[in-house]
Protein backbone atom coordinates (compact mmCIF):
# COMPACT_ATOMS: atom_id res chain seq x y z
CA UNK A 1 0.00 0.00 0.00
CA UNK A 2 2.94 2.37 0.44
CA UNK A 3 3.63 2.16 -3.29
CA UNK A 4 -0.04 2.83 -4.05
CA UNK A 5 -0.15 5.85 -1.75
CA UNK A 6 2.93 7.22 -3.51
CA UNK A 7 1.77 6.62 -7.11
CA UNK A 8 -1.99 7.26 -7.08
CA UNK A 9 -1.65 11.05 -6.65
CA UNK A 10 0.55 11.11 -9.76
CA UNK A 11 -2.21 9.73 -12.00
CA UNK A 12 -3.94 12.53 -13.88
CA UNK A 13 -7.70 12.91 -14.17
CA UNK A 14 -8.85 10.51 -16.87
CA UNK A 15 -5.94 8.15 -16.14
CA UNK A 16 -6.33 4.51 -15.22
CA UNK A 17 -4.93 2.19 -12.59
CA UNK A 18 -5.26 -1.59 -12.42
CA UNK A 19 -4.53 -4.05 -9.65
CA UNK A 20 -3.95 -7.77 -10.01
CA UNK A 21 -4.51 -10.45 -7.36
CA UNK A 22 -7.69 -8.76 -6.21
CA UNK A 23 -9.63 -11.62 -4.60
CA UNK A 24 -8.49 -14.24 -7.09
CA UNK A 25 -10.67 -17.31 -7.36
CA UNK A 26 -9.04 -20.69 -7.91
CA UNK A 27 -11.85 -22.76 -9.49
CA UNK A 28 -10.19 -26.18 -9.37
CA UNK A 29 -9.57 -25.73 -5.65
CA UNK A 30 -12.87 -23.90 -5.07
CA UNK A 31 -10.92 -21.31 -3.10
CA UNK A 32 -10.87 -17.55 -2.83
CA UNK A 33 -7.32 -16.37 -2.14
CA UNK A 34 -6.73 -13.56 0.31
CA UNK A 35 -4.22 -10.76 -0.24
CA UNK A 36 -5.17 -8.25 2.50
CA UNK A 37 -3.02 -5.36 1.27
CA UNK A 38 -4.50 -5.54 -2.25
CA UNK A 39 -8.04 -6.18 -1.01
CA UNK A 40 -7.89 -3.21 1.39
CA UNK A 41 -6.56 -0.95 -1.34
CA UNK A 42 -9.32 -2.01 -3.74
CA UNK A 43 -11.98 -1.55 -1.04
CA UNK A 44 -10.68 1.98 -0.43
CA UNK A 45 -10.76 2.74 -4.16
CA UNK A 46 -14.49 1.90 -4.24
CA UNK A 47 -15.09 4.34 -1.37
CA UNK A 48 -12.99 7.14 -2.89
CA UNK A 49 -15.11 9.61 -4.91
CA UNK A 50 -12.08 10.51 -7.05
CA UNK A 51 -12.03 7.04 -8.64
CA UNK A 52 -14.56 5.23 -10.83
CA UNK A 53 -14.71 1.44 -11.08
CA UNK A 54 -14.18 0.38 -14.70
CA UNK A 55 -14.13 -3.42 -14.83
CA UNK A 56 -12.99 -6.67 -13.30
CA UNK A 57 -11.54 -9.62 -15.22
CA UNK A 58 -10.76 -12.54 -12.97
CA UNK A 59 -8.36 -11.11 -10.36
CA UNK A 60 -7.61 -7.92 -12.34
CA UNK A 61 -9.59 -4.80 -11.43
CA UNK A 62 -9.38 -1.34 -13.01
CA UNK A 63 -10.35 2.17 -11.93
CA UNK A 64 -10.30 5.56 -13.68
CA UNK A 65 -9.49 8.83 -11.93
CA UNK A 66 -12.42 11.23 -12.30
CA UNK A 67 -11.43 14.04 -9.95
Amino acid sequence: TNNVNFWLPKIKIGGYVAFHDSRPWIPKENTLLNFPAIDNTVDNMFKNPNWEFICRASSLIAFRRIA
Side-chain angles (χ1 to χ4, degrees):
T1 57
N2 288 339
N3 285 337
V4 170
N5 292 334
F6 177 78
W7 286 105
L8 285 181
K10 297 178 181 301
I11 298 174
K12 295 180 181 179
I13 293 174
Y16 294 84
V17 65
F19 301 96
H20 64 87
D21 291 339
S22 172
R23 296 182 177 86
W25 179 257
I26 310 300
K28 67 180 181 179
E29 297 175 20
N30 201 27
T31 302
L32 183 65
L33 297 180
N34 185 12
F35 296 99
I38 298 296
D39 295 340
N40 290 338
T41 299
V42 168
D43 290 344
N44 289 334
M45 296 291 287
F46 276 111
K47 297 174 190 173
N48 189 326
N50 295 324
W51 294 92
E52 171 185 49
F53 168 73
I54 299 299
C55 67
R56 174 184 289 279
S58 186
S59 69
L60 183 72
I61 191 165
F63 295 89
R64 181 172 65 97
R65 186 167 187 170
I66 57 174

